[in-house]
Amino acid sequence: MNDTREKLWTREFIMLTLCNLLLFLNLQMIVSPLSGYVKEHFHASAFMVSMFTTLFSLAAIAARLYSAKALERGIRNQILYIGLALALLATFGYLWSGTMALLLLMRIVFGVGFGMGSTTLPTMASGIIPVRRLGEGMGYFGLSTSIALSLGPVIGTALLENKGFDTLVYATLIVIALIFPLVIPLTKKVKPAAPAIPKEFTAVPQKQGFPKALLLPSLMNLLMSITYGGLLSFINLFGKEASLANASLFFLFNAVAVVLIRPISGKIYDRKGHIALLIPSAVLLIGGLWLLSYAHTTGFLALAALCYGLGFGTVQPTLQSWMLQQVPPQKQGLANSMYFNSLDLGIAVGAMILGQIAQYSTYGAMYRYASLFLVLFIMVYAFYLAKRAKNNNMPNRDTGTSTTV
């Protein structure tokens, strides 16, 4: 089919991508510097600091599971508006949270709002992307998430160190407030996916329940995200250990690589599927972690970040597109929920596990140990490919339009 008849860069797609960027930027500007602020301002223990990530992640996961069910029933706009409103109120609440208990409560409320919004926006986007350009479209859309993940910590840390916590909060308030005038027209123009038809009203019984095809890519996304949790949580501490003045520049160089690879990887996915991308990307991620573990100069840090970013910027949209293609349109909310839940859970688990490893070794060694999760990533995927080749008579090649699990 001629791509000129399947327009990707519509006004609605651009606006949705921008809204997603702002939502994730709001999160990432706070999440990285918050641990340092809590430890210094409240003299919190390491366990209490970790609770700010853990409780947020659990709240977001629970909210996404509920949102996925609501999206199946066609309740999209209400979920989006409530989620954004909760995220805005919780961000404002940081200003008057004078105790750790209140600050933890705001993180939970923000997690609920963020979980609802981060499920709805990509579901809206996947609904307007031409089917034959899904990999390319989700690659560009997911670029907004990756840019926020990479630049948010740098911006947030700079604001906290130079202007203070209140200025950081006001900046994140502006970021999330900008979403509202952009998203309101979109909810009127972009139609929700048709709700699932109850089984008792169908002439032919429909298969209900959880799509098991989402489990494998979710597991792989979790394994990759464990390594990213180690980067978000400990890159600055690694910088001090390695005598790197600006270790947070890792995220900037990582963003450059992600921006460069996303358009390419999306088009490869549409032509050849995930089988052409996942193992080479995992190798790049492993290489990036090993290079980082030995980095003692900014140049070496940049090389490690570029290598990791090429892998990260390929794996993320590939797994998300794969998951979206395993479900009917009314269950795309569930697919997006599983994708982001596995991402958040992996980051939270990575912070806890890798933090314990670093306590008994070094941060450099910790990143080398982290690469073992990517070795497991490759082993799990290789087992899937071997099992599929054995059980199916289909050619050992996925295409972007294949429905093969």
Side-chain angles (χ1 to χ4, degrees):
M1 185 178 292
N2 190 347
D3 281 352
T4 59
R5 292 182 294 170
E6 295 182 308
K7 188 176 181 181
L8 173 62
W9 290 103
T10 61
R11 182 179 182 276
E12 290 76 17
F13 178 74
I14 294 171
M15 290 297 100
L16 281 170
T17 303
L18 180 57
C19 289
N20 195 64
L21 170 64
L22 293 172
L23 180 62
F24 275 84
L25 189 61
N26 171 275
L27 168 69
Q28 296 301 326
M29 285 173 63
I30 283 283
V31 70
S32 184
L34 185 63
S35 58
Y37 169 79
V38 169
K39 191 168 186 178
E40 179 180 344
H41 191 75
F42 295 106
H43 306 288
S45 65
F47 172 77
M48 288 305 299
V49 170
S50 69
M51 289 299 289
F52 282 85
T53 299
T54 302
L55 290 178
F56 161 80
S57 298
L58 291 176
I61 288 170
R64 287 199 187 102
L65 294 174
Y66 169 78
S67 300
K69 291 294 183 182
L71 290 173
E72 285 185 37
R73 298 195 302 268
I75 311 173
R76 187 197 67 187
N77 293 352
Q78 298 93 316
I79 292 296
L80 179 58
Y81 288 140
I82 292 172
L84 292 176
L86 287 175
L88 178 66
L89 290 173
T91 302
F92 183 75
Y94 293 147
L95 292 172
W96 49 267
S97 296
T99 66
M100 283 195 62
L102 279 175
L103 198 56
L104 278 171
L105 177 61
M106 291 303 104
R107 289 298 290 164
I108 293 171
V109 174
F110 183 84
V112 172
F114 179 81
M116 297 169 80
S118 62
T119 302
T120 309
L121 289 175
T123 302
M124 292 173 67
S126 59
I128 63 173
I129 295 173
V131 174
R132 292 183 181 273
R133 302 185 70 179
L134 181 64
E136 181 186 2
M138 291 311 296
Y140 283 119
F141 182 83
L143 184 59
S144 61
T145 302
S146 298
I147 290 175
L149 283 169
S150 300
L151 297 185
V154 178
I155 297 171
T157 301
L159 285 173
L160 180 63
E161 292 178 352
N162 297 316
K163 299 295 182 179
F165 186 70
D166 286 358
T167 301
L168 171 61
V169 173
Y170 284 123
T172 54
L173 272 172
I174 293 171
V175 167
I176 198 166
L178 289 173
I179 298 176
F180 286 89
L182 297 174
V183 83
I184 290 173
L186 290 173
T187 56
K188 298 176 181 178
K189 290 184 178 180
V190 180
K191 295 181 180 180
I197 302 173
K199 184 177 179 180
E200 59 269 24
F201 293 110
T202 57
V204 179
Q206 294 183 338
K207 187 177 180 180
Q208 303 293 319
F210 181 82
K212 294 182 180 179
L214 297 178
L215 292 176
L216 174 65
S218 295
L219 173 61
M220 295 172 67
N221 194 38
L222 184 145
L223 291 171
M224 182 204 67
S225 302
I226 287 175
T227 68
Y228 200 77
L231 293 170
L232 279 177
S233 301
F234 305 115
I235 192 70
N236 289 327
L237 295 174
F238 167 76
K240 292 179 181 179
E241 177 185 272
S243 301
L244 289 167
N246 297 301
S248 61
L249 286 175
F250 179 94
F251 296 108
L252 182 60
F253 294 120
N254 182 79
V256 171
V258 168
V259 169
L260 292 175
I261 198 62
R262 274 291 173 92
I264 300 171
S265 64
K267 291 179 180 179
I268 293 175
Y269 178 87
D270 287 332
R271 293 198 304 268
K272 298 184 178 181
H274 53 78
I275 197 171
L277 295 168
L278 289 177
I279 290 180
S281 301
V283 172
L284 284 170
L285 288 166
I286 292 171
L289 289 173
W290 275 76
L291 288 172
L292 174 64
S293 71
Y294 292 109
H296 292 283
T297 65
T298 302
F300 215 76
L301 180 78
L303 180 62
L306 290 171
C307 186
Y308 187 92
L310 290 175
F312 186 75
T314 300
V315 170
Q316 272 200 315
T318 298
L319 290 175
Q320 188 175 18
S321 298
W322 183 13
M323 293 170 76
L324 287 168
Q325 287 189 317
Q326 304 308 305
V327 296
Q330 66 269 15
K331 284 190 176 289
Q332 287 186 342
L334 176 62
N336 282 313
S337 171
M338 288 293 295
Y339 170 78
F340 285 109
N341 278 349
S342 57
L343 174 67
D344 282 345
L345 185 60
I347 289 173
V349 169
M352 289 187 289
I353 294 178
L354 298 179
Q356 289 299 309
I357 292 174
Q359 186 175 345
Y360 296 101
S361 57
T362 64
Y363 288 105
M366 178 200 72
Y367 287 125
R368 292 191 289 276
Y369 282 115
S371 68
L372 295 177
F373 289 99
L374 292 166
V375 174
L376 183 57
F377 175 105
I378 294 174
M379 292 172 63
V380 168
Y381 187 59
F383 177 79
Y384 155 77
L385 292 179
K387 184 178 179 181
R388 191 192 64 176
K390 179 180 179 181
N391 294 340
N392 298 329
N393 294 321
M394 297 175 62
N396 191 14
R397 176 180 178 270
D398 279 355
T399 64
T401 57
S402 173
T403 57
T404 302
V405 176

